[in-house]
Amino acid sequence: MHLDKEALDAHESRWRAQLINAVAGFKPVNLIGTIDDQGRTNLAIITSVVHLGANPPLLGMVIRPSPKGVERHTLNNILDTGAFSVNAVTEDMVPQAHQTSARYSGETSEFEATGLTPRWIDGRREPFVAESPLQIGLSLLEHLPLKHNGTHFIIGNIDCIDIPDNAVADDGTVDLGALRLVTACGLDTYHSVGSGTRFAYAKPDQPPRPI
Amino acid sequence: MHLDKEALDAHESRWRAQLINAVAGFKPVNLIGTIDDQGRTNLAIITSVVHLGANPPLLGMVIRPSPKGVERHTLNNILDTGAFSVNAVTEDMVPQAHQTSARYSGETSEFEATGLTPRWIDGRREPFVAESPLQIGLSLLEHLPLKHNGTHFIIGNIDCIDIPDNAVADDGTVDLGALRLVTACGLDTYHSVGSGTRFAYAKPDQPPRPI
């Protein structure tokens, strides 16, 4: 089907939300760990983390506060404390990770509600997810409110990474498949991932070559 | 392993680039189609497209010009023409899609170099990739240069979407797995994706429930 602006607008908003959330392709699935000034922890599933650069090591992510303002905990905590964790989600963690998207009040920590275990690292404020094999600690570097739809683009500096030795090859490449991480499609679907094929650095005078 | 800032800095830059490119998780794989003012087409593989919102329908993407400035074709073309296409990459398209990352000069179109076929839509300037089952036409909405590392965040408004009827369910959900789209890890590895599990809308007083 070919959908132009008119055809898209003709569909009701939930249909459009499902479609538009899926068309960018498969997304990374991460849990964002934060804490507020009263020491209350928060955990939120986010599928918009994006690589920004390796030197300095930066990640970005999009946060979309709900229209009613009830899901601003993650954003507020990051702005208040300047720290957050990014924790990769494995196949086993999917039900609990998805459950963090329920609209718990500020009094309820998603750690308690889902049974995921907070892990603390000396010298850092934000909670990590003990069950996750890939945990990243970040400091807030920049906050860009996007004027067109009220979303926020957060840029974080990577301060530390926990990852199993056997997932990192001698040249620094990572086998996310070995960690059994999932990928997401749209608002609510999680996919397991098959084995990967690596390609040699592409050159104009050579054909593509798997290695 | 636990890597703090010191441990990360101690590794050489290529090792660090491989690791940092992978830790955000699995990434979407898309080909960005553009054209310059002289009518020369360009195609670039990008793994940083991110969903920004459904109403209005917006996508974002990160463009990282190379240090030597030779890979700015995509960015320049978008800024000059205000238009670009996002084309999903399937398992069959991976070798050609990866090959677009070779540093072709401005005289060589990646369409010609890789054998992918440009498709034109009446009234739109940007070329689409005929081989892709999911083609999106966008207009440039905002250009945010990120001061910390010279990358650029591009926000585009979705003007049109081409997608096979049978990949879209009655409620607007999309089965990207049925399209055999791939997901990427790090700089150069492409993974096929298994079937998905969809979860019901999460509620605080109900356990997570696959549907």
Side-chain angles (χ1 to χ4, degrees), chain B residues 8-160:
Chain B
L8 278 171
D9 287 344
H11 284 279
E12 52 107 10
S13 69
R14 285 185 74 88
W15 190 96
R16 201 168 52 235
Q18 287 284 5
L19 183 87
I20 301 294
N21 266 276
V23 294
F26 286 113
K27 302 184 281 192
V29 187
N30 288 293
L31 285 165
I32 309 302
T34 58
I35 192 166
D36 72 8
D37 281 338
Q38 276 81 53
R40 293 178 295 202
T41 57
N42 190 277
L43 203 53
I45 188 167
I46 296 264
T47 59
S48 62
V49 176
V50 62
H51 170 76
L52 286 184
N55 189 24
L58 305 181
L59 296 182
M61 77 180 158
V62 179
I63 299 186
R64 317 191 58 230
S66 77
K68 292 174 188 157
V70 295
E71 287 170 2
R72 298 186 63 110
H73 302 146
T74 297
L75 179 63
N76 288 344
N77 290 352
I78 293 173
L79 297 180
D80 286 348
T81 66
F84 61 105
S85 70
V86 170
N87 306 271
V89 172
T90 64
E91 294 171 19
D92 291 343
M93 292 164 64
V94 165
Q96 290 161 299
H98 181 76
Q99 185 65 17
T100 66
S101 66
R103 297 191 177 191
Y104 294 105
S105 75
E107 303 303 313
T108 306
S109 169
E110 289 81 4
F111 280 105
E112 275 175 55
T114 64
L116 290 167
T117 313
R119 170 182 173 245
W120 302 95
I121 294 180
D122 275 355
R124 297 206 61 85
R125 288 193 73 174
E126 74 278 21
F128 295 77
V129 179
E131 285 82 358
S132 173
L134 173 48
Q135 306 169 26
I136 310 172
L138 300 101
S139 299
L140 174 64
L141 190 62
E142 196 172 354
H143 167 221
L144 293 165
L146 304 181
K147 60 187 174 195
H148 299 287
N149 65 351
T151 58
H152 300 257
F153 193 62
I154 293 286
I155 300 177
N157 202 106
I158 295 178
D159 294 326
C160 60

Side-chain angles (χ1 to χ4, degrees), chain A residues 86-134:
Chain A
V86 170
N87 306 271
V89 172
T90 64
E91 294 171 19
D92 291 342
M93 293 164 63
V94 165
Q96 290 161 299
H98 182 74
Q99 185 64 18
T100 65
S101 66
R103 297 191 176 192
Y104 294 105
S105 75
E107 303 304 314
T108 305
S109 169
E110 289 81 4
F111 280 105
E112 275 176 55
T114 63
L116 290 167
T117 313
R119 169 180 174 246
W120 302 96
I121 294 180
D122 275 355
R124 298 206 59 86
R125 289 192 73 174
E126 74 278 20
F128 295 79
V129 179
E131 286 81 358
S132 172
L134 173 48

